[in-house]
Amino acid sequence: MKQEPPCAEIKLYEKANFSIGVAVNTEKLKNEEKYWKLVLSQFNSLSPEKTLKPIYIHPKKDQFDFTETDHLIDFCKTYNKRLHGHTLVWDESLPLWIEKFKGDKTEWEALMKDHIQTVINHCKGYIKSWDVVNEAFNDDGTYKKNIWFNHIGETYIEQAFLYASQADPTAKLFYNDYSLETNGQKLDKVLKHFSGLKARGIKVDGVGMQMHVSVDYPSVTAINLSALSIQAQGFLVHYSELDVILSGREYLFTGKKKMFEMQKERMKQIVEGYLKLKPEYQFGITLWGVSDNDSWQTEKHPRSRPLLFDVRYRVKPAYCGFLEGLGN
Ligand code: 9MR
């Protein structure tokens, strides 16, 4: 029988002074006992991987469907878990009616405002934090010419934050993006943009560094410097979608066991780095999925094994690395 690493029975979130999150699939939470038990026992913050995205929640212009969202809220209420709202404005996972919407700038603004405020108003009794805008910048730091930009112009970003803060002035509002841990040019532009908004009185509380990284890239120094520079601008730091893929090329030369050890060390270093932030800036670390079976990375690269639990929900060395990073 395969031996489990010695740290198997520990509850991760009880060992941390910040929130330990996970992206969840609402169907699996409802139907798969092993899945929801693991979520309950290890994590104290949940991000819906799909449920809150417009394609699921806003199927027609004048119709919202909060059935799954309400299920998730009930689950989190029952078990006292934080629910982080992911995500309000993105150019993916949009329903066809938005993609095909014909209207002038004012009508697009009204559409975006209605979406943001209806969703926040529905959830504000429970959800206290939101990824308001997701992935709005290119790698070179220019604005993505996405559907929102094309119809509203670059001000859609600040308008989104404004509408969100009007709907719930007390919610923590985040900008969320990938490559912020690797790409200094992009990070600089993002920080400049949101510091500028803050200076003009727009409420922006934090930045989500998605942290889709691999066992050997980027360097831990780069990750830590990026997090510290976000903190230095006065923004909360959320490692919002952490996964660490085993990279294909290394695989060929190193073997799986060695790769899992590298992944363990990597998790440890990432968590240790996060602990260098001031506690009041630590919004939390969220893993983007429960087991290697549940990951978007696995869908693309079946051998990437990016998470803390294996396909049968057993702890991996990476889990122990995470725990060691917390100082346990
Ligand atoms: O992991 C998510 C996958 O299940 C969805 O099909 C996809 C489209 O909604 O979104 C994935 O999550 C993305 C997240 O929302 C934003 N950052 C990138 C993530 C991976 O694509």
Side-chain angles (χ1 to χ4, degrees):
M1 211 175 80
K2 195 177 166 196
Q3 247 204 319
E4 297 211 330
C7 49
E9 294 306 320
I10 288 161
K11 294 187 185 325
L12 216 46
Y13 71 85
E14 286 182 355
K15 299 286 172 190
N17 294 324
F18 53 83
S19 291
I20 305 290
V22 66
V24 290
N25 174 310
T26 311
E27 278 306 306
K28 289 188 181 178
L29 268 190
K30 283 199 275 197
N31 300 319
E32 290 185 26
E33 189 178 352
K34 269 194 174 171
Y35 182 91
W36 62 257
K37 281 193 168 161
L38 196 52
V39 168
L40 286 184
S41 69
Q42 298 294 333
F43 303 97
N44 58 356
S45 174
L46 273 57
S47 296
E49 192 173 1
K50 296 182 195 282
T51 301
L52 273 176
K53 290 172 179 167
I55 194 169
Y56 305 104
I57 213 174
H58 198 170
K60 293 186 183 153
K61 187 167 190 310
D62 297 313
Q63 187 191 323
F64 287 81
D65 181 355
F66 291 111
T67 320
E68 294 293 286
T69 303
D70 290 345
H71 181 85
L72 208 48
I73 290 176
D74 284 347
F75 182 91
C76 290
K77 263 188 195 162
T78 306
Y79 297 107
N80 192 26
K81 305 291 180 191
R82 177 175 84 177
L83 186 56
H84 176 66
H86 175 84
T87 176
L88 293 164
V89 177
W90 190 23
D91 61 343
E92 288 186 32
S93 293
L94 294 172
L96 208 57
W97 76 264
I98 293 188
E99 295 202 346
K100 298 221 164 305
F101 185 73
K102 301 255 179 290
D104 61 16
K105 183 170 187 273
T106 315
E107 287 164 315
W108 273 91
E109 286 167 350
L111 182 165
M112 187 176 78
K113 181 176 183 185
D114 177 51
H115 177 77
I116 292 173
Q117 297 199 334
T118 307
V119 176
I120 294 185
N121 282 331
H122 184 88
C123 302
K124 80 178 178 194
Y126 200 76
I127 297 186
K128 304 284 177 222
S129 59
W130 290 94
D131 290 335
V132 177
V133 176
N134 193 49
E135 301 172 11
F137 290 84
N138 292 310
D139 283 344
D140 64 2
T142 55
Y143 298 110
K144 272 193 185 156
K145 307 287 182 289
N146 64 25
I147 195 166
W148 306 106
F149 182 97
N150 290 339
H151 290 101
I152 299 175
E154 68 180 63
T155 59
Y156 86 88
I157 301 174
E158 67 183 86
Q159 283 170 271
F161 278 86
L162 188 65
Y163 299 149
S165 67
Q166 287 167 348
D168 187 353
T170 63
K172 299 280 181 225
L173 305 181
F174 284 79
Y175 174 69
N176 191 49
D177 210 338
Y178 57 85
S179 297
L180 299 181
E181 57 283 343
T182 55
N183 181 341
Q185 188 184 10
K186 180 173 180 179
L187 180 62
D188 282 353
K189 290 276 172 55
V190 164
L191 287 180
K192 207 169 269 169
H193 185 87
F194 289 100
S195 300
L197 295 196
K198 240 186 5 178
R200 289 198 284 112
I202 310 266
K203 188 173 188 297
V204 184
D205 300 286
V207 174
M209 292 168 64
Q210 292 186 2
M211 294 284 288
H212 297 297
V213 299
S214 83
V215 280
D216 55 3
Y217 186 80
S219 73
V220 157
T221 312
I223 296 173
N224 295 348
L225 281 176
S226 303
L228 287 168
S229 63
I230 293 172
Q231 171 182 271
Q233 296 294 316
F235 296 113
L236 302 171
V237 181
H238 185 195
Y239 286 0
S240 56
E241 305 185 8
L242 174 63
D243 45 35
V244 177
I245 58 170
L246 311 186
S247 73
R249 200 174 154 276
E250 287 288 330
Y251 228 128
L252 291 176
F253 302 107
T254 324
K256 204 166 78 184
K257 192 156 183 285
K258 177 82 192 328
M259 293 297 290
F260 280 154
E261 284 307 310
M262 284 171 71
Q263 192 183 39
K264 172 184 177 184
E265 187 56 26
R266 187 85 168 141
M267 282 290 180
K268 181 179 170 201
Q269 291 172 347
I270 288 171
V271 176
E272 282 172 347
Y274 193 74
L275 284 168
K276 292 189 204 295
L277 296 171
K278 295 180 189 150
E280 63 271 30
Y281 285 88
Q282 296 169 351
F283 185 75
I285 298 184
T286 296
L287 277 302
W288 205 244
V290 180
S291 79
D292 287 344
N293 214 19
D294 310 309
S295 167
W296 72 292
Q297 299 275 24
T298 307
E299 281 170 27
K300 290 200 311 182
H301 310 291
R303 299 167 78 201
S304 62
R305 315 279 186 110
L307 294 168
L308 302 184
F309 300 93
D310 73 11
V311 294
R312 290 166 61 192
Y313 299 115
R314 294 172 305 196
V315 295
K316 289 167 55 190
Y319 176 92
C320 303
F322 197 109
L323 204 59
E324 283 175 24
L326 290 171
N328 293 279

